[in-house]
């Protein structure tokens, strides 16, 4: 009797990668609030799974895309039907969706719409800050906002609500290693500019010397700032000029100021 050949055991890293892929495929996000839900409903790139609304909310949402069947529930039982974080201002509308897929960073960085302007976030975990940054990035024509897969704000309902629709239009890419990604961007021709209050040079002065260049603005979390390796990867560490010694801007405000300055170059 011949023995059946045993199947070769997969390496641990292959198993972990397959598990991560399955988990990502199963991941869903609940968006909430009239503005965020309305924009997601009209986004053809968004996979929509389940719409839960009150009668008042559905009247305010307007016509629904073909194929969307809303679940109408009473306002008093809404929080029991939809698994939202406590104190979420949902306005009687919630939509379960799949996270958006924006494709490869290289494609966006090299041939995305608008001028070559990117924002990279180093451990910015507050979804409200990231949502506000996405809004500013859209307003000032950035091609993408980049953040590490770990220790950054994921795509959530709170982020989408703060982004006020920008999440549906402004690419938000999560990468494995931020410093390695910045090195890749430099090889594509981007100037990597880190923003920090300790910078020796002012942001407007350096930007004036880089007309027409591809720019990636890098901002760190409030408090810790940029990590050492992130700082070492930047071509320049610059600061935003202040009119007086009132402290510093929070990260979303700093991003808005920096994006405005870079968009004028």
């Amino acid at each position: 009797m011949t023995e059946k050949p045993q199947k070769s055991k997969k390496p641990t890293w292959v198993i972990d990668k397959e598990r991560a892929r399955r988990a990502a495929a199963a991941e869903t996000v609940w968006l909430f609030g009239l503005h965020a839900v309305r924009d997601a409903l009209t986004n053809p790139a968004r996979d929509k799974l389940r719409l839960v609304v009150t009668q008042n909310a559905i009247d305010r949402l307007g016509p629904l895309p073909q194929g969307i069947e809303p679940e109408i529930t009473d306002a008093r039982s809404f929080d029991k039907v939809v698994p939202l974080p406590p104190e979420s201002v949902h306005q009687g509308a919630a939509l379960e969706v799949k996270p958006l897929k924006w494709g490869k960073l290289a494609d966006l960085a090299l041939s995305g719409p608008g001028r070559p302007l990117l924002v990279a976030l180093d451990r910015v975990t507050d979804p409200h800050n990231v949502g506000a940054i996405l809004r500013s990035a859209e307003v000032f024509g950035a091609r993408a906002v980049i953040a590490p897969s770990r220790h950054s704000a994921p795509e959530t309902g709170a982020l989408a609500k703060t982004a006020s629709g920008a999440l549906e239009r402004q690419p938000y890419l999560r990468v494995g290693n931020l410093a390695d990604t910045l090195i890749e961007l430099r090889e594509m021709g981007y100037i990597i500019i880190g923003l920090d209050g300790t910078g020796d040079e002012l942001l407007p002065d350096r930007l004036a010397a880089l007309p027409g260049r591809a720019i990636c603005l890098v901002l760190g979390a409030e408090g810790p700032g940029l990590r050492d390796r992130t700082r070492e990867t930047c071509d320049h560490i610059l600061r935003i000029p202040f009119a007086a010694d009132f402290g510093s801007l929070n990260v979303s405000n700093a991003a808005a100021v920096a994006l405005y300055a870079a968009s004028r170059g």
Side-chain angles (χ1 to χ4, degrees), residues 224-237:
L226 300 174
R227 286 176 291 179
D228 290 343
R229 185 158 186 250
T230 305
R231 290 180 67 97
E232 293 166 0
T233 308
C234 294
D235 296 306
H236 307 282
I237 301 295

Side-chain angles (χ1 to χ4, degrees), residues 1-6:
M1 182 177 179
T2 58
E3 294 184 0
K4 292 182 179 179
Q6 294 184 344

Side-chain angles (χ1 to χ4, degrees), residues 49-218:
L49 306 178
R50 184 183 173 198
L51 174 64
V52 180
V53 290
T54 62
Q55 186 61 57
N56 179 57
I58 198 168
D59 293 340
R60 296 171 66 188
L61 280 175
L64 299 179
Q66 188 174 5
I68 299 293
E69 294 293 335
E71 299 176 33
I72 300 178
T73 186
D74 187 85
R76 291 169 295 183
S77 59
F78 193 93
D79 293 334
K80 298 177 182 177
V81 176
V82 181
L84 297 179
E87 310 303 325
S88 296
V89 184
H90 53 69
Q91 301 174 289
L95 178 67
E96 187 180 16
V97 298
K98 291 277 191 179
L100 287 166
K101 298 176 182 178
W102 290 105
K104 296 180 180 180
L105 174 60
D107 294 335
L108 288 168
L110 294 174
S111 57
R115 64 158 292 163
L117 177 60
L118 303 171
V119 179
L121 304 177
D122 189 11
R123 296 186 301 178
V124 179
T125 58
D126 186 335
H128 300 94
N129 275 332
V130 176
I133 291 168
L134 285 168
R135 289 184 69 180
S136 296
E138 180 184 28
V139 167
F140 294 113
R143 289 184 175 176
V145 175
I146 308 160
S149 298
R150 300 177 61 190
H151 307 300
S152 66
E155 186 176 331
T156 63
L159 188 154
K161 194 169 193 306
T162 307
S164 192
L167 180 63
E168 302 302 319
R169 300 177 293 272
Q170 177 64 45
Y172 180 45
L173 278 69
R174 314 280 295 288
V175 298
N177 186 289
L178 183 61
D180 289 348
T181 299
L182 296 178
I183 292 171
E184 292 174 12
L185 288 172
R186 181 187 292 113
E187 293 171 350
M188 297 179 204
Y190 276 79
I191 304 297
I192 313 301
I193 294 178
L195 293 176
D196 192 283
T198 64
D200 294 329
E201 192 176 2
L202 297 179
L203 175 65
D205 295 344
R206 173 51 58 180
L207 289 175
L210 299 170
R213 294 297 301 272
I215 301 291
C216 178
L217 302 168
V218 189

